[in-house]
Amino acid sequence: MFERLEEFLRKEPFIPFRIILTSGTHYDVLSPLMLAVGKSELSYYFPKSDKLAHARLNQLAAIETLEQPA
């Protein structure tokens, strides 16, 4: 799953995506700057806010694209 997350973050052009945690919590990543990925955890930065959330990478359940089909 880590490799897939890295692939989404590096894709050119960037395509917004959603990460879903095992708890059911989800975060929409609208820019690659909204997510920082470490060796064992990630940090999600909420837009237009100083708020952030942390999660362990092993809590990552799914990644979905937010782009609507043409």
Side-chain angles (χ1 to χ4, degrees), residues 5-19:
L5 181 58
E6 289 277 309
E7 182 181 310
F8 269 88
L9 286 170
R10 294 180 185 191
K11 191 171 284 196
E12 289 289 335
F14 179 79
I15 298 171
F17 62 94
R18 174 175 290 151
I19 56 174

Side-chain angles (χ1 to χ4, degrees), residues 4-62:
R4 188 159 182 244
L5 181 58
E6 289 277 309
E7 182 181 310
F8 269 88
L9 286 170
R10 294 180 185 191
K11 191 171 284 196
E12 289 289 335
F14 179 79
I15 298 171
F17 62 94
R18 174 175 290 151
I19 56 174
I20 303 167
L21 305 180
T22 54
S23 66
T25 303
H26 67 272
Y27 301 107
D28 292 346
V29 182
L30 307 177
S31 161
L33 300 175
M34 295 176 71
L35 199 63
V37 181
K39 289 183 180 181
S40 62
E41 71 175 29
L42 59 85
S43 296
Y44 174 82
Y45 296 86
F46 290 86
K48 300 179 183 178
S49 162
D50 288 334
K51 185 179 172 188
L52 75 130
H54 298 283
R56 292 178 183 253
L57 289 176
N58 64 2
Q59 294 175 307
L60 190 58

